[in-house]
Amino acid sequence: MSAARCQCKRSGIVRGSDVHLSVSIVRSERKKIHVISHLYTSNCSQPTPGEVSLAHHGVLFLDELPEFQPHVLDGLRQPIESGEAVIARANQRVSFPARFQLVAAMNPCRCGKATEPGFACPRMPNPRCMADYQAKISGPLIDRMDMVIEVPAVSAADLILPAPAEGSNEIGLRVAAARRIQARRYESRGVPVRLNAHAPPAVLDEVAAPDPAGLALLRDAAEALRLTARGYHRVLKLARTIADLDGTATVGRIHLAEALSYRGASDALRVAA
């Protein structure tokens, strides 16, 4: 079958009724600030891979998240769920691979000082300033985030502290070991995924079944945090991964408590949205 061509210098895999292009995929890291808008497809007559596809099997890092246009951010929802970006045009429909890890950063408010002691926003009270800024991120997008962590500013005193005992190399070894555990888990079950993040709900209920104490915690937290079905399964996936990092076969209360603590932060953002 002849392949449709475009002059844009892009690469990736395109799947559609009339477009079949393929190249090798390498792990990538795509860093973007809010000035770009072509996360899904570049601006040309023939749909071509955008940033989410160029980050396939890699990391898509979005800095200053609320500064992106709302329609750009909400367009991430479907690729996050399905692992592909679908572009529909008048005369064709193409699908790009988009199995990426989304990492985003943002300030608590536009000026970034709302949480500093003694600072008073000149426009409005600090809590309202923060809520207005964070409301630029929609609730459905926040619900797809596994971890939302508030990171305090680094002080000069922090910079002169000695380096932590566990460095990046040691952490990398633990992460690689956990990924091998997950790959073997799903391979032994004949499931075509390699990571907990991609496990279907039916399989997840088996491999991430909590112990009795963890189940009681999850039941109470689901009601208190008003977890959606998507949020519930994301908590289980994250708890299963935390247990894998600990080298533990069973998902316990401590693993669920840590996963829920990250979900609690995202719940606060969802209320603001």
Side-chain angles (χ1 to χ4, degrees):
M1 178 178 293
S2 62
R5 298 184 179 275
C6 176
Q7 297 302 316
C8 292
K9 295 182 179 180
R10 294 282 180 176
S11 62
I13 297 177
V14 182
R15 299 196 309 278
S17 59
D18 57 350
V19 182
H20 293 266
L21 307 176
S22 66
V23 297
S24 60
I25 294 296
V26 296
R27 186 172 298 278
S28 59
E29 181 181 6
R30 308 292 297 181
K31 298 181 181 180
K32 288 298 166 184
I33 56 175
H34 59 85
V35 294
I36 64 101
S37 61
H38 54 279
L39 288 175
Y40 324 109
T41 181
S42 61
N43 297 321
C44 62
S45 59
Q46 173 65 49
T48 54
E51 294 299 327
V52 296
S53 288
L54 296 177
H56 183 56
H57 287 172
V59 176
L60 177 66
F61 175 59
L62 302 182
D63 198 12
E64 301 293 350
L65 187 64
E67 298 299 332
F68 285 84
Q69 293 295 322
H71 73 277
V72 173
L73 292 181
D74 284 336
L76 289 169
R77 289 152 52 182
Q78 184 259 336
I80 289 174
E81 287 291 318
S82 65
E84 62 180 1
V86 177
I87 307 298
R89 296 284 176 86
N91 59 347
Q92 62 182 313
R93 179 182 181 275
V94 295
S95 174
F96 302 98
R99 183 71 71 184
F100 56 88
Q101 182 176 22
L102 175 64
V103 180
M106 61 179 288
N107 285 314
C109 64
R110 184 174 294 278
C111 66
K113 299 180 179 180
T115 57
E116 292 184 5
F119 176 80
C121 177
R123 297 186 300 119
M124 61 185 73
N126 288 13
R128 182 182 170 189
C129 179
M130 294 171 62
D132 284 355
Y133 189 63
Q134 295 172 12
K136 295 183 177 182
I137 308 172
S138 71
L141 178 59
I142 295 169
D143 198 39
R144 288 165 169 79
M145 296 181 179
D146 296 327
M147 302 171 63
V148 178
I149 302 174
E150 183 176 343
V151 181
V154 178
S155 66
D158 295 325
L159 296 176
I160 63 176
L161 292 174
E166 186 179 40
S168 297
N169 290 335
E170 292 79 10
I171 295 173
L173 291 175
R174 288 201 294 117
V175 171
R179 291 174 69 94
R180 288 193 296 270
I181 290 172
Q182 294 172 36
R184 290 195 296 267
R185 172 182 297 134
Y186 299 112
E187 183 180 4
S188 66
R189 289 170 170 80
V191 181
V193 299
R194 296 182 60 85
L195 299 175
N196 296 327
H198 307 152
V203 177
L204 187 66
D205 290 339
E206 175 190 350
V207 302
D211 62 16
L215 184 60
L217 174 64
L218 182 58
R219 185 183 299 113
D220 294 341
E223 181 178 351
L225 297 177
R226 304 187 302 280
L227 291 179
T228 63
R230 179 185 296 109
Y232 173 86
H233 286 116
R234 286 185 174 275
V235 167
L236 278 181
K237 290 177 181 180
L238 184 54
R240 177 66 270 177
T241 299
I242 294 170
D244 289 339
L245 288 168
D246 281 348
T248 305
T250 304
V251 176
R253 181 183 178 91
I254 188 172
H255 306 123
L256 281 161
E258 183 175 350
L260 286 164
S261 70
Y262 304 135
R263 196 72 197 179
S266 66
D267 185 68
L269 267 179
R270 188 164 57 251
V271 170

